[in-house]
Amino acid sequence: MNYHLFQIVNAAAGRSDPVDDVFEWSARWLIYVLAATAAVPVLTHLRHRRAALVRVVVSLGLAFTVGQAIAALSTEVRPFQTHPVHQLIPHAAGASLPSDHATAAFAVAFAVGAFLSRRWGVALSVLATIIGFARVWTGVHYPGDILAGALVAAGAVTAVDLGGRACDRLFSRRHSDPTA
């Protein structure tokens, strides 16, 4: 199924140079636009919501760490290593699962949405989805690699949220209990 979905998306590549150019650019550079866009809510909340900002950073770090661990254990190689594809951007051979681009993009999007601003999180999630689609279009990832990156990101944000809430409860109990 993963390869079949890849074939459907990647088969459209190479037919229209302007469309390919948009997806090539998105696969390579849109992640920087996403990071710059994420800076807006981060800088907006820099002074007043430091705990939330820490949770955003920890979420990204956790997602990256888990993604790297999965990649080290994965035997899934990039589509162009085992199949004929329309590879539109250069990429080194190696582990394909999960996509680092998708993991990072979705981690930032989900963390900003969970801890800072739902509206910004939705906008960043749209950009992350475009990045993921572009990585498949250009022949360097399978759809499952993108989905795995999004799931790793969601899991990291959820873990940080639950851990942060537990710490908040513990901290508030310690400061509200005069005998502690």
Side-chain angles (χ1 to χ4, degrees):
M1 172 118 162
N2 195 25
Y3 179 60
H4 181 68
L5 290 173
F6 171 81
Q7 285 180 305
I8 291 169
V9 174
N10 186 250
R15 294 184 181 183
S16 170
D17 197 45
V19 173
D20 288 344
D21 289 345
V22 167
F23 286 121
E24 289 169 20
W25 185 89
S26 296
R28 287 181 167 173
W29 305 108
L30 189 56
I31 193 139
Y32 298 107
V33 173
L34 182 139
T37 303
V40 174
V42 166
L43 293 173
T44 301
H45 297 290
L46 193 57
R47 299 177 93 198
H48 305 296
R49 298 189 57 201
R50 290 203 174 133
L53 294 173
V54 168
R55 289 176 184 171
V56 169
V57 172
V58 172
S59 295
L60 183 58
L62 180 59
F64 181 76
T65 301
V66 170
Q68 291 300 300
I70 292 170
L73 297 172
S74 175
T75 59
E76 182 77 73
V77 295
R78 296 186 181 277
F80 59 82
Q81 290 178 254
T82 55
H83 304 289
V85 304
H86 295 108
Q87 186 180 349
L88 302 180
I89 61 174
H91 203 291
S96 184
L97 179 77
S99 163
D100 290 341
H101 278 76
T103 302
F106 282 109
V108 169
F110 295 164
V112 166
F115 305 125
L116 297 175
S117 166
R118 287 188 196 268
R119 285 180 35 202
W120 281 104
V122 169
L124 293 169
S125 293
V126 169
L127 293 179
T129 302
I130 294 168
I131 290 166
F133 184 83
R135 304 291 290 175
V136 176
W137 182 278
T138 58
V140 297
H141 278 292
Y142 292 105
D145 304 337
I146 306 307
L147 178 60
L151 291 174
V152 166
V157 171
T158 300
V160 169
D161 187 35
L162 293 173
R165 289 175 193 234
C167 287
D168 290 345
R169 284 191 301 275
L170 182 64
F171 185 74
S172 69
R173 271 192 229 135
R174 283 197 173 164
H175 288 304
S176 66
D177 183 6
T179 62

